[in-house]
Amino acid sequence: MNMIDTKPEISLSHYAGEIRQGNVVAFPTETVYGLGADAWNADAVAHIFELKGRPPDNPLIVHVNSVEMAATLVSEISEDARRLMERFWPGPLALILPKRPEVLDIVTAGLPTVAIRVPNHPIPLRLIEEAGPIAAPSANTSGRPSPTRAEHVRQDFGAEVPVIEGGSCQYGLESTVLDLSIRPYTILRPGHITQSSLEQVLRQPVRMVPSFEGETTGAPRSPGMKYTHYAPDARVRWMRPDELPRPDFPAAGTLYLLHRIRPGDVPIRGDRNLIHYGEDYTEMGRDLYDRFRMADLKGYSEIAIEPFGDSGEDVEALLNRIRKAIGG
Ligand code: TXA
Ligand code: MG
């Protein structure tokens, strides 16, 4: 068993105190674990960038616990923004809005906008209540898959960062990032809150940035999109249609992630490197980053993922992360 940093006697107030004093603390959210610091403390936020090895032109999301606290960071909350906040907060939706001048440049990477969200998890909500707005990227070192369990944070940071234990994250994929500072409103990163659910509330079309627009235009809207993301060391690729019929399937050294192919469709001897999700894409999303990290720990050289075909909007976020991992 690994030592868990949160012994019951270490209370959340203790961690909130750490954040107030300018230290960095990792905590669970409903999406992935975050690496948090006081959003009003430039040195503390700088420490996040340093720990992650994060390029300084990639801004952070500020976590708040209410629309009122959001209003201390953004210069204006439009009718549309308010409607989204009321419908989806607390929840996995980060909104990009024009920032107040006092919001630190290091948080927004010098942009005139700031990303904010209210996490739907009692631990960060409690920390925010005691320590105020918390700037937090995902708690992985830059380029690694986002952490969905406390253990993942320890894999990347060891004892350098205290982690509040919160079990496995509910969604396992990062929040939807919606830019409300441009028209049409644009999803910079798909997540659990889908394009159509946003359009329903906004009663207007919302644009989806293609997975690799940032890389191809050289002028990404969301600075984070130009960096390699979510990639394990193992090479991630789509499974080829000719692989399954071959007698040597499954190849040793390859981990297969399957959803439509059933256990009975494949040779029994491969059961350890064949993961079957059925068509439960929520479960697959929840498990993906953990599986990426496990594949590395177990020394797989490849991860082959069964292609999706037309699986609709529910797989948008999952597909986006897989494409990033393949491209990266
Ligand atoms: O689910 C989540 O959002 C998690 C948890 C911890 O809340 N956080 C997270 O943060 O995924 P991070 O830093 O890994 O991803 C934030 C993304 C980056 O792609 C960043 O470029 C983009 O949001 N972003 C932040 N502020 C922005 C801004 N002002 N304009 C455009 N993109 C922004
Ligand atoms: Mg991240």
Side-chain angles (χ1 to χ4, degrees), residues 207-225:
R207 180 169 173 261
M208 172 77 76
V209 162
S211 289
F212 289 98
E213 179 171 289
E215 285 85 341
T216 53
T217 63
R221 271 305 296 185
S222 183
M225 297 196 310

Side-chain angles (χ1 to χ4, degrees), residues 224-290:
M225 297 196 310
K226 75 181 175 200
Y227 298 106
T228 300
H229 260 159
Y230 324 120
D233 297 332
R235 183 170 80 97
V236 183
R237 62 170 177 83
W238 295 116
M239 184 179 160
R240 293 180 298 271
D242 66 344
E243 272 179 274
L244 178 53
R246 288 162 54 117
D248 57 349
F249 179 87
T254 301
L255 179 68
Y256 291 85
L257 306 187
L258 309 174
H259 42 97
R260 288 184 176 152
I261 297 169
R262 313 267 151 200
D265 301 338
V266 293
I268 217 106
R269 66 190 156 79
D271 61 350
R272 273 186 309 149
N273 58 340
L274 297 171
I275 310 297
H276 296 269
Y277 292 101
E279 284 172 68
D280 187 347
Y281 297 114
T282 310
E283 174 54 25
M284 193 169 176
R286 192 171 16 241
D287 190 57
L288 187 76
Y289 292 148
D290 186 38

Side-chain angles (χ1 to χ4, degrees), residues 58-286:
N58 193 3
L60 307 183
I61 295 174
V62 179
H63 297 70
V64 296
N65 65 3
S66 63
V67 176
E68 292 68 46
M69 197 183 280
T72 66
L73 296 148
V74 304
S75 56
E76 196 210 321
I77 296 177
S78 64
E79 261 312 299
D80 286 340
R82 188 171 295 274
R83 251 203 305 260
L84 293 171
M85 292 169 177
E86 276 163 12
R87 172 69 184 78
F88 295 113
W89 282 2
L93 177 65
L95 297 173
I96 295 179
L97 290 162
K99 77 175 189 81
R100 282 181 181 268
E102 56 274 31
V103 173
L104 298 170
D105 275 341
I106 188 164
V107 170
T108 66
L111 293 173
T113 54
V114 62
I116 41 173
R117 86 176 188 98
V118 178
N120 189 14
H121 195 292
I123 292 176
L125 288 176
R126 185 57 198 291
L127 296 175
I128 295 161
E129 191 185 316
E130 291 193 33
I134 295 177
S138 51
N140 51 286
T141 49
S142 238
R144 296 277 295 153
S146 292
T148 56
R149 298 193 293 120
E151 176 59 28
H152 299 161
V153 182
R154 286 189 287 273
Q155 284 169 7
D156 285 11
F157 298 106
E160 250 186 311
V161 172
V163 190
I164 305 176
E165 178 63 53
S168 293
C169 296
Q170 184 188 352
Y171 298 121
L173 298 175
E174 306 84 347
S175 62
T176 304
V177 177
L178 178 66
D179 193 342
L180 293 177
S181 75
I182 47 167
R183 300 296 176 106
Y185 297 145
T186 301
I187 295 171
L188 302 180
R189 181 176 72 185
H192 178 76
I193 309 290
T194 60
Q195 185 176 18
S196 62
S197 63
L198 294 168
E199 288 177 336
Q200 215 169 7
V201 172
L202 292 166
R203 294 189 224 102
Q204 60 184 290
V206 169
R207 180 169 173 261
M208 172 77 76
V209 162
S211 289
F212 289 98
E213 179 171 289
E215 285 85 341
T216 53
T217 63
R221 271 305 296 185
S222 183
M225 297 196 310
K226 75 181 175 200
Y227 298 106
T228 300
H229 260 159
Y230 324 120
D233 297 332
R235 183 170 80 97
V236 183
R237 62 170 177 83
W238 295 116
M239 184 179 160
R240 293 180 298 271
D242 66 344
E243 272 179 274
L244 178 53
R246 288 162 54 117
D248 57 349
F249 179 87
T254 301
L255 179 68
Y256 291 85
L257 306 187
L258 309 174
H259 42 97
R260 288 184 176 152
I261 297 169
R262 313 267 151 200
D265 301 338
V266 293
I268 217 106
R269 66 190 156 79
D271 61 350
R272 273 186 309 149
N273 58 340
L274 297 171
I275 310 297
H276 296 269
Y277 292 101
E279 284 172 68
D280 187 347
Y281 297 114
T282 310
E283 174 54 25
M284 193 169 176
R286 192 171 16 241

